[in-house]
Amino acid sequence: MDSSNVPISEEPCVVFPWDPCYDNEMQIKDSFEDNYLDHLSNLKIESNSSQNTLTTIACGVLHNVTRGLIEEFCERGASMVIFDFNGLSFEQSRKMVFEIRQGVFNYSLKNNNQVPYSMTLVLDLGGSCITTGSIFLTTPTQRLIELSTNAYVYITNDVEYKFKCTEDRIYVNSDMIFRLKTNDRIYLDYGKIELAVIRVDEDEVYCVIKRGEFLGSEKTVHIPKIPIGSTALSKLDEEKIRTGIHLKVDVILVPGVRNSVFFDHVRKFVDRERGGEISLYSKIDNTVGLENIDDFLPVVDGVFLNRPNLSMEVGHDKIFLAQKIVLSKCNLAGKPTITYGEYLNSMEVSTVPTNAEVNDLINTVMDGTDCIYLDVTIRSENKTHCIQYASSLCRQGEATIWEQQLFTELNKKSKPKIDPAHAVSIGCVEVSFKCHAAAIIVITTSGLSAQLIARYRPRCPILAIVRHGRSARKLSVWRNVIALQYIDPIENIWSKEIENRTRFAMDFGKRKGILHQGNLVLHMSCSKQNAGFPNTMSLLYVSAGDSIVND
């Protein structure tokens, strides 16, 4: 047979998983430059962002939320829902939480291959809030009054004017206005209107309007540097906490925290009400809390940065500094952060955000937040589009972080002697950088090991396999972490149990497009049952089938 007549088939090029690859994905080359300028100068406009969003997305919901909406949130990758019980009875609160859980259950059953979806339920306490009264309606269609710049207005707490607010006199539900002095500031409706005190009379305060705007009924009043209340909790907040404990929420946001004493008061109250398993996050919403963050940061479970409230005290021109201070301190202390900054508000009526909103969200991700809170999902008609757009922006921001320097600096702060679980987690992240791991699989019980790994900011997702739903939901706040609840029966042989959980994680990763054939995965597990922490690290390559290829 003449071999010259036989067509020559070209063999496909084989790329081994361990070969270095500097493609256009996730700005991978510039992330390991030696200095900051080289890192910035080597960023590529055409670089592709990762398909996996590492930053957590939290969505705001109202009391009339439906299970169908929650299913859509899950489909778009939202990991947290934030709600309040303002004006709700216990039965209404219970119905809202039931709808959220039912939506998560339906999604897990229908669209997630019966894998329980970890959606964190977050209760936002209102705190001791000062508000205006209701607008006096001179016509049936009137809903606003105009407070003009350089005009004058009286602020009073006389209940006679509670439903009779006019351009000349505004009611507020607090007597703290009489503690003000000349030139002190009062902000209405989240800073849209700024008043300066001229004099304080016996029953009212006379002010000049420095910045005017239209004012509606029952709007928020903010008085800088004056603490509200004698404790961090109002009686109404205590009742909300009892309701949250009964309904088994995962996280409670505590407002008005000014020092560790205030937070300890809240912690003891929650413990007395048998809510010790609930995580308590401190709200940074005033300058007193910002100044004392080093005092209470060690005792909180996490931090919620409320930029709109804080900006009224520090100024809009300095809120970016406050954000960098809070997020860096939390990253160093290993505390998860949720940042609220009225992100993508224009998408309430538009399908595309403004350039300023885009840059604001991306810069927050680059500053190191774990979670972005989107309250625009409360008002927008196209809620899922807002989540999808925010996720794409988060991926762009994540790709430009200088991970090499970030990890080095975080590592330097962990000075010996540290506990073994902490040390192993640091080593795990460093190995994931060196070998360009596609994911880190952690077999954990409490979730602590996954938290420690996430604290050092690897470039890849962390698949945390846990057996308890509450542990999984608490982990969902952290950047990088995808918490998976494993519900199959426990194997008597520990090695078989580890193999089953690992295969479960591999299958999930391949199904969601996180893992592909040939990807390298870092695997952390315990060498034996009840070892205390994952003390065994191994490298796995993803195979085409269901079996695990161990190298």
Side-chain angles (χ1 to χ4, degrees):
M1 182 177 181
D2 189 358
S3 60
S4 61
N5 295 328
V6 178
I8 300 175
S9 60
E10 185 176 357
E11 293 186 3
C13 179
V14 178
V15 178
F16 295 100
W18 51 83
D19 286 343
C21 177
Y22 293 107
D23 56 15
N24 282 334
E25 186 174 345
M26 285 189 70
Q27 309 279 5
I28 195 166
K29 186 175 182 180
D30 69 274
S31 294
F32 298 95
E33 293 291 351
D34 294 330
N35 62 72
Y36 187 56
L37 287 179
D38 283 344
H39 164 72
L40 293 179
S41 62
N42 284 309
L43 293 172
K44 304 296 182 184
I45 295 296
E46 66 275 10
S47 176
N48 302 320
S49 62
S50 171
Q51 296 180 348
N52 310 306
T53 305
L54 304 180
T55 305
T56 300
I57 302 293
C59 300
V61 296
L62 296 175
H63 68 278
N64 57 354
V65 62
T66 63
R67 61 190 67 180
L69 178 62
I70 296 299
E71 289 183 48
E72 293 178 10
F73 283 179
C74 295
E75 183 66 34
R76 293 294 181 267
S79 299
M80 303 175 66
V81 286
I82 299 180
F83 50 85
D84 58 57
F85 293 152
N86 295 341
L88 301 182
S89 65
F90 176 82
E91 185 58 32
Q92 290 172 320
S93 302
R94 187 200 64 79
K95 181 180 179 181
M96 176 176 63
V97 173
F98 175 78
E99 286 293 315
I100 295 172
R101 289 207 168 103
Q102 192 62 45
V104 175
F105 176 80
N106 291 348
Y107 174 78
S108 303
L109 192 64
K110 301 174 185 176
N111 305 103
N112 208 36
N113 205 35
Q114 300 186 8
V115 177
Y117 190 86
S118 299
M119 175 74 81
T120 309
L121 273 61
V122 183
L123 171 60
D124 184 10
L125 300 181
S128 301
C129 185
I130 304 176
T131 59
T132 64
S134 298
I135 301 303
F136 182 68
L137 304 181
T138 56
T139 64
T141 58
Q142 182 181 1
R143 293 293 182 269
L144 302 171
I145 57 174
E146 184 178 6
L147 301 181
S148 302
T149 302
N150 296 325
Y152 297 91
V153 64
Y154 284 98
I155 304 297
T156 180
N157 70 337
D158 188 345
V159 293
E160 180 182 347
Y161 298 97
K162 184 173 183 179
F163 302 100
K164 298 179 181 179
C165 292
T166 64
E167 293 88 346
D168 301 319
R169 188 168 270 99
I170 304 294
Y171 167 83
V172 299
N173 60 348
S174 173
D175 59 0
M176 287 197 305
I177 56 175
F178 302 113
R179 296 161 60 181
L180 295 171
K181 299 179 178 61
T182 303
N183 289 327
D184 281 350
R185 294 298 194 264
I186 301 175
Y187 295 97
L188 307 181
D189 196 6
Y190 289 104
K192 293 180 181 177
I193 300 171
E194 179 183 353
L195 310 179
V197 175
I198 296 178
R199 69 174 186 269
V200 179
D201 298 332
E202 184 178 347
D203 57 352
E204 56 191 3
V205 178
Y206 189 52
C207 302
V208 61
I209 302 172
K210 290 291 187 179
R211 182 172 60 248
E213 185 55 83
F214 287 94
L215 180 68
S217 298
E218 298 179 354
K219 295 301 181 180
T220 302
V221 179
H222 189 80
I223 305 176
K225 298 185 179 180
I226 293 186
I228 300 175
S230 57
T231 69
L233 291 177
S234 64
K235 293 296 182 183
L236 184 59
D237 284 336
E238 290 181 356
E239 191 58 38
K240 291 176 184 177
I241 288 176
R242 292 188 184 99
T243 302
I245 292 173
H246 185 85
L247 298 177
K248 295 180 170 54
V249 300
D250 303 301
V251 176
I252 294 178
L253 304 179
V254 183
V257 176
R258 300 187 287 278
N259 51 46
S260 59
V261 176
F262 279 86
F263 194 83
D264 287 341
H265 168 79
V266 180
R267 177 80 72 183
K268 290 176 182 177
F269 175 81
V270 173
D271 289 342
R272 283 199 305 271
E273 298 294 327
R274 299 182 180 180
E277 292 185 342
I278 296 177
S279 296
L280 300 180
Y281 282 36
S282 167
K283 274 190 174 182
I284 307 292
D285 51 11
N286 57 76
T287 53
V288 180
L290 178 62
E291 292 166 359
N292 294 333
I293 186 172
D294 292 327
D295 175 47
F296 60 77
L297 192 57
V299 298
V300 303
D301 296 314
V303 166
F304 181 95
L305 177 58
N306 189 332
R307 283 186 7 185
N309 277 13
L310 188 59
S311 65
M312 288 188 287
E313 297 200 17
V314 302
H316 296 285
D317 58 331
K318 293 185 178 180
I319 191 63
F320 80 99
L321 281 176
Q323 174 174 291
K324 291 179 183 296
I325 291 169
V326 172
L327 296 183
S328 61
K329 286 181 179 291
C330 291
N331 286 341
L332 289 171
K335 302 291 183 178
T337 54
I338 306 170
T339 306
Y340 166 50
E342 297 181 328
Y343 298 109
L344 309 185
N345 262 7
S346 64
M347 295 188 73
E348 181 179 346
V349 294
S350 173
T351 57
V352 180
T354 65
N355 287 340
E357 290 173 334
V358 168
N359 290 330
D360 188 20
L361 192 150
I362 291 177
N363 283 326
T364 303
V365 172
M366 295 176 66
D367 282 344
T369 190
D370 289 271
C371 175
I372 293 290
Y373 172 40
L374 298 178
D375 69 326
V376 69
T377 56
I378 296 176
R379 304 176 300 275
S380 176
E381 291 295 326
N382 199 347
K383 298 173 171 51
T384 56
H385 178 60
C386 295
I387 300 172
Q388 197 168 5
Y389 208 107
S391 294
S392 67
L393 297 179
C394 287
R395 291 194 294 272
Q396 291 291 346
E398 291 158 3
T400 57
I401 294 174
W402 191 17
E403 271 100 351
Q404 177 72 21
Q405 184 64 18
L406 177 60
F407 172 75
T408 301
E409 292 178 357
L410 290 172
N411 191 16
K412 285 181 179 178
K413 290 292 182 179
S414 301
K415 298 179 180 179
K417 180 180 180 182
I418 58 176
D419 63 271
H422 199 152
V424 170
S425 299
I426 294 173
C428 172
V429 175
E430 185 165 13
V431 172
S432 73
F433 283 139
K434 295 293 186 182
C435 64
H436 293 184
I440 300 172
I441 296 176
V442 186
I443 311 298
T444 179
T445 301
S446 65
L448 176 61
S449 296
Q451 293 177 16
L452 289 173
I453 295 172
R455 175 177 176 176
Y456 289 90
R457 299 297 195 241
R459 286 180 62 85
C460 59
I462 303 167
L463 302 180
I465 315 302
V466 299
R467 280 202 169 271
H468 304 295
R470 185 178 287 275
S471 298
R473 292 191 297 273
K474 286 185 178 182
L475 281 174
S476 294
V477 183
W478 290 80
R479 183 192 280 196
N480 293 81
V481 177
I482 300 173
L484 302 176
Q485 185 184 0
Y486 183 71
I487 58 176
D488 287 358
I490 300 176
E491 294 283 350
N492 294 327
I493 303 174
W494 180 245
S495 60
K496 184 66 174 176
E497 172 74 8
I498 294 296
E499 182 181 350
N500 290 346
R501 292 203 212 181
T502 305
R503 182 176 288 109
F504 167 76
M506 287 282 203
D507 292 344
F508 177 88
K510 286 187 285 188
R511 191 167 59 250
K512 294 295 183 179
I514 300 171
L515 302 177
H516 302 89
Q517 182 182 2
N519 284 160
L520 186 142
V521 175
L522 203 57
H523 182 267
M524 299 287 297
S525 63
C526 297
S527 57
K528 60 181 180 180
Q529 197 168 6
N530 300 322
F533 64 93
N535 56 8
T536 303
M537 183 191 307
S538 57
L539 300 178
L540 312 174
Y541 286 111
V542 181
S543 64
D546 293 335
S547 59
I548 301 170
V549 179
N550 195 347
D551 190 89

PDB file of all heavy atoms in Angstrom, residues 320-335:
ATOM      1  N   PHE A 320     -14.604  58.100  50.815  1.00  0.00           N
ATOM      2  CA  PHE A 320     -13.721  57.100  50.210  1.00  0.00           C
ATOM      3  C   PHE A 320     -12.592  56.732  51.180  1.00  0.00           C
ATOM      4  O   PHE A 320     -12.136  55.583  51.216  1.00  0.00           O
ATOM      5  CB  PHE A 320     -13.151  57.608  48.880  1.00  0.00           C
ATOM      6  CG  PHE A 320     -11.986  58.543  49.006  1.00  0.00           C
ATOM      7  CD1 PHE A 320     -10.689  58.091  48.837  1.00  0.00           C
ATOM      8  CD2 PHE A 320     -12.181  59.880  49.311  1.00  0.00           C
ATOM      9  CE1 PHE A 320      -9.613  58.948  48.946  1.00  0.00           C
ATOM     10  CE2 PHE A 320     -11.117  60.751  49.421  1.00  0.00           C
ATOM     11  CZ  PHE A 320      -9.825  60.292  49.247  1.00  0.00           C
ATOM     12  N   LEU A 321     -12.123  57.712  51.974  1.00  0.00           N
ATOM     13  CA  LEU A 321     -11.094  57.419  52.977  1.00  0.00           C
ATOM     14  C   LEU A 321     -11.644  56.530  54.078  1.00  0.00           C
ATOM     15  O   LEU A 321     -10.988  55.579  54.517  1.00  0.00           O
ATOM     16  CB  LEU A 321     -10.579  58.733  53.584  1.00  0.00           C
ATOM     17  CG  LEU A 321      -9.575  59.537  52.767  1.00  0.00           C
ATOM     18  CD1 LEU A 321      -9.263  60.845  53.475  1.00  0.00           C
ATOM     19  CD2 LEU A 321      -8.298  58.741  52.551  1.00  0.00           C
ATOM     20  N   ALA A 322     -12.858  56.835  54.530  1.00  0.00           N
ATOM     21  CA  ALA A 322     -13.488  56.015  55.568  1.00  0.00           C
ATOM     22  C   ALA A 322     -13.652  54.580  55.087  1.00  0.00           C
ATOM     23  O   ALA A 322     -13.428  53.622  55.844  1.00  0.00           O
ATOM     24  CB  ALA A 322     -14.840  56.607  55.952  1.00  0.00           C
ATOM     25  N   GLN A 323     -14.028  54.409  53.818  1.00  0.00           N
ATOM     26  CA  GLN A 323     -14.182  53.063  53.266  1.00  0.00           C
ATOM     27  C   GLN A 323     -12.863  52.309  53.264  1.00  0.00           C
ATOM     28  O   GLN A 323     -12.802  51.138  53.668  1.00  0.00           O
ATOM     29  CB  GLN A 323     -14.738  53.155  51.844  1.00  0.00           C
ATOM     30  CG  GLN A 323     -14.811  51.813  51.128  1.00  0.00           C
ATOM     31  CD  GLN A 323     -15.499  51.907  49.790  1.00  0.00           C
ATOM     32  OE1 GLN A 323     -16.705  52.126  49.723  1.00  0.00           O
ATOM     33  NE2 GLN A 323     -14.740  51.772  48.704  1.00  0.00           N
ATOM     34  N   LYS A 324     -11.803  52.964  52.826  1.00  0.00           N
ATOM     35  CA  LYS A 324     -10.495  52.301  52.798  1.00  0.00           C
ATOM     36  C   LYS A 324     -10.024  51.940  54.209  1.00  0.00           C
ATOM     37  O   LYS A 324      -9.443  50.868  54.431  1.00  0.00           O
ATOM     38  CB  LYS A 324      -9.470  53.201  52.106  1.00  0.00           C
ATOM     39  CG  LYS A 324      -9.696  53.366  50.607  1.00  0.00           C
ATOM     40  CD  LYS A 324      -8.667  54.275  49.980  1.00  0.00           C
ATOM     41  CE  LYS A 324      -8.962  54.494  48.498  1.00  0.00           C
ATOM     42  NZ  LYS A 324      -8.858  53.249  47.710  1.00  0.00           N
ATOM     43  N   ILE A 325     -10.276  52.823  55.172  1.00  0.00           N
ATOM     44  CA  ILE A 325      -9.865  52.566  56.548  1.00  0.00           C
ATOM     45  C   ILE A 325     -10.601  51.357  57.109  1.00  0.00           C
ATOM     46  O   ILE A 325      -9.988  50.428  57.660  1.00  0.00           O
ATOM     47  CB  ILE A 325     -10.126  53.812  57.423  1.00  0.00           C
ATOM     48  CG1 ILE A 325      -9.187  54.952  57.034  1.00  0.00           C
ATOM     49  CG2 ILE A 325      -9.965  53.481  58.907  1.00  0.00           C
ATOM     50  CD1 ILE A 325      -9.560  56.292  57.653  1.00  0.00           C
ATOM     51  N   VAL A 326     -11.924  51.350  56.966  1.00  0.00           N
ATOM     52  CA  VAL A 326     -12.736  50.269  57.547  1.00  0.00           C
ATOM     53  C   VAL A 326     -12.424  48.930  56.888  1.00  0.00           C
ATOM     54  O   VAL A 326     -12.203  47.917  57.567  1.00  0.00           O
ATOM     55  CB  VAL A 326     -14.238  50.602  57.416  1.00  0.00           C
ATOM     56  CG1 VAL A 326     -15.080  49.397  57.828  1.00  0.00           C
ATOM     57  CG2 VAL A 326     -14.598  51.804  58.276  1.00  0.00           C
ATOM     58  N   LEU A 327     -12.384  48.899  55.558  1.00  0.00           N
ATOM     59  CA  LEU A 327     -12.172  47.625  54.864  1.00  0.00           C
ATOM     60  C   LEU A 327     -10.773  47.071  55.115  1.00  0.00           C
ATOM     61  O   LEU A 327     -10.598  45.863  55.277  1.00  0.00           O
ATOM     62  CB  LEU A 327     -12.419  47.799  53.366  1.00  0.00           C
ATOM     63  CG  LEU A 327     -13.858  48.162  52.961  1.00  0.00           C
ATOM     64  CD1 LEU A 327     -13.995  48.227  51.451  1.00  0.00           C
ATOM     65  CD2 LEU A 327     -14.854  47.161  53.535  1.00  0.00           C
ATOM     66  N   SER A 328      -9.765  47.939  55.167  1.00  0.00           N
ATOM     67  CA  SER A 328      -8.406  47.448  55.424  1.00  0.00           C
ATOM     68  C   SER A 328      -8.280  46.900  56.844  1.00  0.00           C
ATOM     69  O   SER A 328      -7.643  45.859  57.063  1.00  0.00           O
ATOM     70  CB  SER A 328      -7.387  48.567  55.190  1.00  0.00           C
ATOM     71  OG  SER A 328      -7.614  49.652  56.063  1.00  0.00           O
ATOM     72  N   LYS A 329      -8.880  47.583  57.814  1.00  0.00           N
ATOM     73  CA  LYS A 329      -8.837  47.093  59.190  1.00  0.00           C
ATOM     74  C   LYS A 329      -9.545  45.742  59.316  1.00  0.00           C
ATOM     75  O   LYS A 329      -9.076  44.849  60.020  1.00  0.00           O
ATOM     76  CB  LYS A 329      -9.464  48.114  60.134  1.00  0.00           C
ATOM     77  CG  LYS A 329      -8.598  49.346  60.407  1.00  0.00           C
ATOM     78  CD  LYS A 329      -9.280  50.292  61.366  1.00  0.00           C
ATOM     79  CE  LYS A 329      -8.401  51.517  61.662  1.00  0.00           C
ATOM     80  NZ  LYS A 329      -7.212  51.151  62.456  1.00  0.00           N
ATOM     81  N   CYS A 330     -10.664  45.596  58.634  1.00  0.00           N
ATOM     82  CA  CYS A 330     -11.397  44.319  58.673  1.00  0.00           C
ATOM     83  C   CYS A 330     -10.614  43.212  57.985  1.00  0.00           C
ATOM     84  O   CYS A 330     -10.602  42.067  58.453  1.00  0.00           O
ATOM     85  CB  CYS A 330     -12.768  44.486  58.036  1.00  0.00           C
ATOM     86  SG  CYS A 330     -13.905  45.513  58.987  1.00  0.00           S
ATOM     87  N   ASN A 331      -9.949  43.516  56.863  1.00  0.00           N
ATOM     88  CA  ASN A 331      -9.138  42.510  56.183  1.00  0.00           C
ATOM     89  C   ASN A 331      -7.992  42.041  57.060  1.00  0.00           C
ATOM     90  O   ASN A 331      -7.671  40.848  57.107  1.00  0.00           O
ATOM     91  CB  ASN A 331      -8.594  43.071  54.867  1.00  0.00           C
ATOM     92  CG  ASN A 331      -9.662  43.174  53.794  1.00  0.00           C
ATOM     93  OD1 ASN A 331     -10.702  42.535  53.881  1.00  0.00           O
ATOM     94  ND2 ASN A 331      -9.427  43.996  52.795  1.00  0.00           N
ATOM     95  N   LEU A 332      -7.363  42.973  57.767  1.00  0.00           N
ATOM     96  CA  LEU A 332      -6.260  42.607  58.656  1.00  0.00           C
ATOM     97  C   LEU A 332      -6.746  41.776  59.837  1.00  0.00           C
ATOM     98  O   LEU A 332      -6.061  40.860  60.292  1.00  0.00           O
ATOM     99  CB  LEU A 332      -5.555  43.868  59.157  1.00  0.00           C
ATOM    100  CG  LEU A 332      -4.722  44.634  58.125  1.00  0.00           C
ATOM    101  CD1 LEU A 332      -4.259  45.968  58.697  1.00  0.00           C
ATOM    102  CD2 LEU A 332      -3.522  43.812  57.671  1.00  0.00           C
ATOM    103  N   ALA A 333      -7.939  42.107  60.338  1.00  0.00           N
ATOM    104  CA  ALA A 333      -8.477  41.386  61.496  1.00  0.00           C
ATOM    105  C   ALA A 333      -9.189  40.097  61.110  1.00  0.00           C
ATOM    106  O   ALA A 333      -9.560  39.305  61.988  1.00  0.00           O
ATOM    107  CB  ALA A 333      -9.438  42.286  62.264  1.00  0.00           C
ATOM    108  N   GLY A 334      -9.389  39.869  59.812  1.00  0.00           N
ATOM    109  CA  GLY A 334     -10.076  38.660  59.378  1.00  0.00           C
ATOM    110  C   GLY A 334     -11.565  38.682  59.643  1.00  0.00           C
ATOM    111  O   GLY A 334     -12.170  37.659  59.980  1.00  0.00           O
ATOM    112  N   LYS A 335     -12.194  39.855  59.497  1.00  0.00           N
ATOM    113  CA  LYS A 335     -13.632  39.997  59.701  1.00  0.00           C
ATOM    114  C   LYS A 335     -14.317  40.243  58.368  1.00  0.00           C
ATOM    115  O   LYS A 335     -13.871  41.091  57.579  1.00  0.00           O
ATOM    116  CB  LYS A 335     -13.930  41.167  60.640  1.00  0.00           C
ATOM    117  CG  LYS A 335     -13.272  41.064  62.012  1.00  0.00           C
ATOM    118  CD  LYS A 335     -13.876  39.938  62.847  1.00  0.00           C
ATOM    119  CE  LYS A 335     -13.239  39.907  64.238  1.00  0.00           C
ATOM    120  NZ  LYS A 335     -13.831  38.868  65.096  1.00  0.00           N
TER     121      LYS A 335
END
